[in-house]
Amino acid sequence: MAKTRPNNTPKLALAVLASAPFAWLVYLIALEIAQPTSGLGPEPAEGLLHYLGEWSMIMLLVAFSITPVRRMFKQPLLARSRRMMGLFAFAYVALHLLAYIVLYVESSWQLLLEDFVERTYITAGIAGFCGLLVMAVTSTMGWRRRLGQNWLRLHKVIYLVVPLALLHLIWLRKDGFGDIALYILWFAILLGERVYQVRTSRSTAT
Amino acid sequence: MLIGKSPKIPTSEIISETTYLNRRKFMGQSAALIAGSSLLGSAQAGLQEDDEITPEDIVTQFNNFYEFGTDKSDPFENAHTLTTDPWTVNVSGEAKKTGDFAFEDIIKGMTAEERIYRFRCVEAWSMVVPWMGISLKKILEQFEPTGNAKYVEFKTLVRPEEMPGQSSFFSSIDWPYTEGLRMDEAYNPLSIMVTGVFGKELPNQNGAPWRLMVPWKYGFKSVKSIVSIRFTDKEPLNTWQQLQASEYGFYANVNPAVSHPRWSQASERRLPSTLFNTNRRPTLPFNGYAEEVAHLYKGMDLRKFF
Ligand code: HEM
């Protein structure tokens, strides 16, 4: 079935899907500005922060799922989407961080510093963001060529970023752990698949 | 003009039929109605110059009541299923009159009076709410607590068929929701049992048919939909302390100087806020009620007993 002509449809479809939560958010913000509390509730800054946080987590896991899904469905076309989804995840996290700085602590450096140092869930979030930042910056072909084998090694930080994001979420939540359980299950399945891959490829190699 | 200087508390009069547009308007009207009485002082103790009553739809549609789910919109969405009639309250422990009582019988002959209180959640948001309530002291005294009663413990209804949060597999709360007060806190004139809000019956999502209101403490102390009152000589283990003792204590007095481990308590976001302005304001010791309650904690290290 596979043609030699590159098929951009899956990538395009994914891009549209991954943009949808952002488009919806723009709509909510428009509602909110037209009439306060109508789009994002009585605490719009908090509502926005939580919305972006949830989608950051989901996009991160989606990006992490691309490779296994590609393997499972023997769908090489998806390989071209991995970088894009990684950048989508980074964009949502960056917006989440921006919302936190501008709307939540209202650019008060004192509050920011206090949060960075004293709140472990913020520390975990920042560490996760830094990991993603490094990956996003080095995601270009130029950096890939320059780094060679080290590029693959560097991009293994995703194995740290996802647990850091999960820790961030576990530490900030007080009760009601349903969605967190789903995220952990999702991550565990993806990890399991990778362990399985490594094992089978090893045993076929020897 | 700063009101609320008078520590003299309640008479049984009630302010009724007030339009709750904002406090200034409200004060203009009620001050004319009850000028010179001590009621103004008690009904509005602790209110600050710029406190305005929070819009009714926010008070009744945005709150925490984990029995109905952990989102702040869940109580409004889910609480309509709760049946509050008949409502039986069990009274037990160190008191002469114990047993099962019908809710109507407990409050029979008592009139709810209006109290406009500041409400400060431990999550650092706050409101100003016109509750209708009855002095807690008056309610508790009818059970004739004995000398051994040092504390009073309250429990919320457990009824998973009507309270979806209670059957959630992903909640770590050990129901029933439990709270407690020292007897002298319970007998403080500010402590009331709320039966109404905005001049109407208390909606289910706000803790119908009755809930505690202790405005100098974080909101989680003000337990809702109460079915059990127990007098005891031991400090009750309240639900949030049981869940996370390093973050929530028994006293839970509003205190800007003691941060929650995960966020600062020095300021609060007054609802509603807008997207570009969180409406932050400094948090006051005892939520502005220091004059009325600080003496209860004389000599106590409030960093230790948080
Ligand atoms: C690795 C990337 C990150 C992910 C996947 C992530 C995800 C999340 C999620 C899922 C939530 C909870 C939403 C909810 O409970 O409804 C959240 C909340 C939050 N995040 Fe992040 N986050 C990340 C990084 C950060 C960073 C870098 C900061 C700031 C320095 C931050 C600050 C916050 C804050 C302040 C909250 C709300 C806490 C509260 O409710 O009090 N996050 N985040």
Side-chain angles (χ1 to χ4, degrees):
Chain A
M1 282 297 282
K3 291 242 175 83
T4 42
R5 192 164 56 88
N7 180 353
N8 271 325
T9 319
K11 189 174 172 183
L12 205 67
L14 261 178
V16 169
L17 277 178
S19 311
F22 181 72
W24 181 246
L25 181 63
V26 171
Y27 170 69
L28 291 180
I29 290 175
L31 277 185
E32 188 63 43
I33 288 174
Q35 199 196 340
T37 78
S38 63
L40 291 155
E43 275 201 285
E46 180 117 347
L48 186 95
L49 189 66
H50 281 220
Y51 181 94
L52 285 168
E54 290 291 355
W55 282 105
S56 299
M57 196 68 237
I58 293 169
M59 291 296 161
L60 210 52
L61 287 167
V62 168
F64 196 57
S65 308
I66 299 282
T67 302
V69 169
R70 189 194 73 202
R71 274 198 286 254
M72 220 184 298
F73 296 101
K74 312 224 173 346
Q75 185 50 271
L77 291 174
L78 274 176
R80 314 176 59 238
S81 309
R82 192 175 66 174
R83 168 166 175 257
M84 179 186 78
M85 287 313 299
L87 287 173
F88 262 109
F90 173 71
Y92 277 97
V93 175
L95 284 172
H96 177 63
L97 175 62
L98 192 71
Y100 162 79
I101 293 175
V102 176
L103 303 177
Y104 196 71
V105 299
E106 297 172 288
S107 310
S108 150
W109 295 111
Q110 193 203 329
L111 274 182
L112 266 176
L113 198 72
E114 197 183 311
D115 267 6
F116 282 10
V117 182
E118 287 185 18
R119 324 265 177 248
T120 42
Y121 79 94
I122 294 284
T123 318
I126 289 286
F129 172 76
C130 291
L132 282 174
L133 181 66
V134 169
M135 288 175 74
V137 168
T138 59
S139 69
T140 59
M141 277 324 276
W143 272 105
R144 197 165 183 163
R145 232 174 290 121
R146 237 168 292 163
L147 289 171
Q149 271 302 305
N150 286 330
W151 187 88
L152 273 181
R153 231 169 274 157
L154 181 65
H155 279 238
K156 290 235 156 38
V157 293
I158 188 68
Y159 290 94
L160 278 178
V161 169
V162 179
L164 280 169
L166 288 170
L167 263 184
H168 170 70
L169 187 51
I170 292 165
W171 280 339
L172 74 87
R173 191 62 66 79
K174 296 203 298 281
D175 196 47
F177 299 102
D179 56 343
I180 302 184
L182 276 180
Y183 295 145
I184 292 177
L185 182 69
W186 187 354
F187 182 57
I189 291 173
L190 296 176
L191 269 188
E193 194 271 354
R194 282 164 166 88
V195 170
Y196 174 79
Q197 285 299 328
V198 171
R199 288 217 167 159
T200 46
S201 66
R202 242 186 232 148
S203 56
T204 46
T206 48
Chain B
M1 179 190 74
L2 216 139
I3 52 163
K5 284 284 168 203
S6 158
K8 288 273 158 290
I9 310 267
T11 60
S12 53
E13 283 159 273
I14 110 164
I15 314 168
S16 57
E17 296 302 317
T18 318
T19 40
Y20 302 98
L21 291 176
N22 66 50
R23 170 166 170 268
R24 252 165 278 261
K25 198 176 256 173
F26 168 78
M27 279 177 49
Q29 293 170 349
S30 55
L33 270 172
I34 51 169
S37 92
S38 67
L39 184 61
L40 191 62
S42 61
Q44 303 193 341
L47 283 192
Q48 307 298 309
E49 185 85 26
D50 58 343
D51 277 334
E52 286 187 11
I53 289 175
T54 306
E56 183 175 355
D57 57 347
I58 292 178
V59 172
T60 58
Q61 297 178 26
F62 188 83
N63 68 330
N64 284 317
F65 197 169
Y66 280 18
E67 277 77 351
F68 295 103
T70 51
D71 278 353
K72 284 194 261 295
S73 53
D74 286 340
F76 174 67
E77 281 162 23
N78 299 331
H80 58 90
T81 55
L82 181 68
T83 30
T84 56
D85 189 19
W87 194 268
T88 308
V89 180
N90 180 266
V91 179
S92 62
E94 307 287 347
K96 292 214 185 82
K97 292 190 180 153
T98 56
D100 285 342
F101 297 84
F103 168 63
E104 312 84 77
D105 293 340
I106 295 178
I107 59 163
K108 194 179 274 168
M110 301 182 185
T111 331
E113 56 180 275
E114 175 154 89
R115 296 289 183 90
I116 302 174
Y117 280 162
R118 295 153 66 85
F119 182 90
R120 170 65 156 78
C121 178
V122 71
E123 296 170 342
W125 51 266
S126 65
M127 301 181 178
V128 179
V129 185
W131 304 109
M132 311 287 301
I134 302 167
S135 147
L136 180 58
K137 182 171 188 218
K138 220 153 110 186
I139 286 170
L140 295 183
E141 274 178 345
Q142 66 182 298
F143 304 116
E144 298 172 28
T146 68
N148 286 336
K150 300 280 183 286
Y151 299 89
V152 55
E153 178 198 76
F154 303 97
K155 283 184 166 59
T156 299
L157 175 74
V158 180
R159 196 182 286 159
E161 317 89 82
E162 293 181 0
M163 298 176 135
Q166 288 179 336
S167 47
S168 164
F169 178 74
F170 296 108
S171 171
S172 34
I173 294 178
D174 185 13
W175 313 102
Y177 189 88
T178 303
E179 262 306 339
L181 296 172
R182 232 167 48 193
M183 281 310 278
D184 59 343
E185 296 179 316
Y187 280 4
N188 185 277
L190 287 178
S191 305
I192 54 171
M193 279 292 198
V194 165
T195 56
V197 68
F198 287 94
K200 299 172 196 154
E201 224 171 79
L202 192 65
N204 287 352
Q205 63 271 24
N206 293 91
W210 68 341
R211 68 171 299 174
L212 181 67
M213 186 47 58
V214 277
W216 71 96
K217 293 174 180 285
Y218 292 121
F220 69 84
K221 290 296 290 184
S222 291
V223 44
K224 306 184 192 78
S225 303
I226 296 166
V227 292
S228 157
I229 298 176
R230 187 170 68 94
F231 298 96
T232 162
D233 58 348
K234 286 183 202 65
E235 186 180 289
L237 180 59
N238 50 328
T239 293
W240 281 103
Q241 188 182 0
Q242 185 187 355
L243 272 177
Q244 195 63 267
S246 59
E247 301 187 353
Y248 310 95
F250 174 75
Y251 285 94
N253 292 319
V254 174
N255 190 345
V258 177
S259 274
H260 185 279
R262 287 185 275 170
W263 55 86
S264 164
Q265 296 290 25
S267 62
E268 65 203 54
R269 307 181 298 275
R270 175 61 54 84
L271 303 189
S273 51
T274 61
L275 193 50
F276 299 104
N277 180 358
T278 51
N279 213 0
R280 227 175 249 284
R281 58 169 64 216
T283 287
L284 302 175
F286 301 105
N287 199 23
Y289 298 94
E291 207 172 306
E292 287 81 7
V293 299
H295 65 273
L296 296 171
Y297 311 101
K298 211 168 269 165
M300 281 174 68
D301 179 359
L302 294 178
R303 296 191 161 272
K304 190 159 161 249
F305 299 98
F306 55 85

